[in-house]
């Protein structure tokens, strides 16, 4: 119990002293600001807003020009933004700034793969694995780089090593599936499914499952591509694969229908009219069934998906259409030309050959990305 005023005043002064916060160190505000800016860049990268991440990372590096982590984040931001040349250049600077940081070498391997320098990417990934032999991301990076460089056996070993190092990491299973995608499709499917068990919202794994089904089950593949876009609307590879698979199916329906109608129509029999109507009805029914099976999100935005939306992807469809037009023109010429004329038949054959070349590129040469 406090008995006199002097004691009471001393207690009040000590209480005020205890309640007063200690002064922060002089460098603390700058440090907090740096951490805040770095966290914002990482957040923008996680939601794949690359252009904004580049701007934030540039400001972060301007405030901390000697910070190796800021250099690495700027390189990663350029990679997410799709600036291939800048991403490689800044990744090399990140390695120079922190040569013993395996993450910088992993990022350099990633950007070099984006620039299609696969052998150099494998060398960078090997250096990352040498620096951190127990790190799953380094092993996965080495596996993917080896796969792209054309070494499937060594790539599978590195990918399985990554799974051993981090069996609960979805990325390890995703990269294992990537490595096995073309050489062991069933094993790749199991790896993607395990990735989705660990991370049900992994858009890449959903998309890759669709790529596995794109030739054998186009409608199931379209479902997967649409589901991947529902999870990540900015997923360009899923959008491209959805466009390609849908176009392929519609073009094949169109070509079969046109040639069936053309063949039936050339027969001078009473049954030709109903047969033509039946062929047209079957073609429309096939196209309608394809449309009905599409997910609602695809039907709502069908035009950008039916029309190939990326540069260079229109060629197989244009070639097929040109061949179809030429062959139909030859068929019409046959009706007008004298009997036995060789010109119309040559035109028909040439159109069929061009159309076949377009179909081959559409179905086989333009392999789906994963």
């Amino acid at each position: 119990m406090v008995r006199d005023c002097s004691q009471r005043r001393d207690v009040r002064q000590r209480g005020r002293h205890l309640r007063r916060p200690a002064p922060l160190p002089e460098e603390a505000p700058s440090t907090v600001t740096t951490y805040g800016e770095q966290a914002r860049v990482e957040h923008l990268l996680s939601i794949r807003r690359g252009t904004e991440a580049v701007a934030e990372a540039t400001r972060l590096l301007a405030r901390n020009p000697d910070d190796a982590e800021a250099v690495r984040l700027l390189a990663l931001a350029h990679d997410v933004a799709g600036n291939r040349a800048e991403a490689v250049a800044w990744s090399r600077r990140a390695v120079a700034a922190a040569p013993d940081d395996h993450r910088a070498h992993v990022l350099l391997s990633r950007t070099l793969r984006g620039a299609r320098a696969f052998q150099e990417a494998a060398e960078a990934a090997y250096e990352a694995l040498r620096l951190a032999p127990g790190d799953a991301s380094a092993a996965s990076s080495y596996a993917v780089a080896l796969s792209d460089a054309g070494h499937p056996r060594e790539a599978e070993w590195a990918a399985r090593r990554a799974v051993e190092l981090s069996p609960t990491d979805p990325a390890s299973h995703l990269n294992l599936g990537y490595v096995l995608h073309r050489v062991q499709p069933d094993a790749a499917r199991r790896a993607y499914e395990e990735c989705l068990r660990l991370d049900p919202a992994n858009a890449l794994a959903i998309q890759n499952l669709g790529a596995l089904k794109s030739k054998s089950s186009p409608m199931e593949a379209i479902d997967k591509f649409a589901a991947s876009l529902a999870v990540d609307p900015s997923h360009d590879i899923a959008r491209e694969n959805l466009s390609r698979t849908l176009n392929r199916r519609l073009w094949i329906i169109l070509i079969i229908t046109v040639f069936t109608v053309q063949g039936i129509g050339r027969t001078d029999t009473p049954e030709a009219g109903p047969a033509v109507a039946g062929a047209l009805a079957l073609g429309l029914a096939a196209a309608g069934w394809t449309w009905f099976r599409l997910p609602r999100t695809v039907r709502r935005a069908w035009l950008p998906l039916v029309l190939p939306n990326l540069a260079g992807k229109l060629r197989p469809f244009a070639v097929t259409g040109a061949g179809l037009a030429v062959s139909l023109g030859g068929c019409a010429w046959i009706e007008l030309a004298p009997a036995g004329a060789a010109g119309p038949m040559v035109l028909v054959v040439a159109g069929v050959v061009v159309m076949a070349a377009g179909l081959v590129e559409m179905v086989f040469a333009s392999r789906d990305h994963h």
Side-chain angles (χ1 to χ4, degrees), residues 177-191:
Y178 178 90
V179 166
L180 300 176
H181 190 97
R182 293 191 176 111
V183 294
Q184 300 180 43
D186 290 338
R189 176 183 53 77
R190 290 192 295 270

Side-chain angles (χ1 to χ4, degrees), residues 188-264:
R189 176 183 53 77
R190 290 192 295 270
Y192 294 142
E193 289 172 349
E194 179 63 16
C195 173
L196 288 172
R197 187 187 69 81
L198 296 167
D199 180 13
N202 192 299
L204 279 173
I206 299 171
Q207 194 282 144
N208 290 358
L209 282 174
L212 282 175
K213 293 286 187 179
S214 61
K215 303 299 188 299
S216 60
S217 181
M219 294 310 300
E220 186 176 348
I222 287 172
D223 290 342
K224 294 293 185 184
F225 296 146
S228 178
L229 284 172
V231 173
D232 182 6
S234 65
H235 197 339
D236 290 337
I237 294 178
R239 182 176 291 104
E240 178 186 343
N241 280 339
L242 176 56
S243 171
R244 180 185 292 128
T245 307
L246 182 57
N247 271 292
R248 183 187 302 148
R249 185 171 179 84
L250 293 177
W251 268 100
I252 291 174
I253 291 172
L254 173 65
I255 290 168
I256 292 174
T257 302
V258 168
F259 272 92
T260 302
V261 169
Q262 180 67 24
I264 295 173

Side-chain angles (χ1 to χ4, degrees), residues 139-165:
S140 285
S141 178
Y142 189 44
V144 172
L146 285 173
S147 177
D148 288 342
H151 305 288
R153 183 175 301 178
E154 295 84 351
E156 180 181 354
W157 172 86
R160 294 194 183 280
R161 174 62 177 159
V163 171
E164 291 175 4
L165 290 171

Side-chain angles (χ1 to χ4, degrees), residues 7 9-20:
Q7 287 178 324
R9 187 167 52 253
D10 290 343
V11 169
R12 284 199 301 269
Q13 290 175 347
R14 285 196 297 269
R16 283 196 299 269
H17 176 72
L18 291 174
R19 289 194 297 270
R20 188 179 303 127

Side-chain angles (χ1 to χ4, degrees), residues 77-103:
H78 277 297
D79 184 58
V80 172
N83 306 326
R84 301 297 185 198
E86 293 84 353
V88 172
W90 281 103
S91 296
R92 294 189 189 280
R93 295 188 187 184
V95 169
D100 295 330
D101 185 354
H102 72 280
R103 298 175 304 161

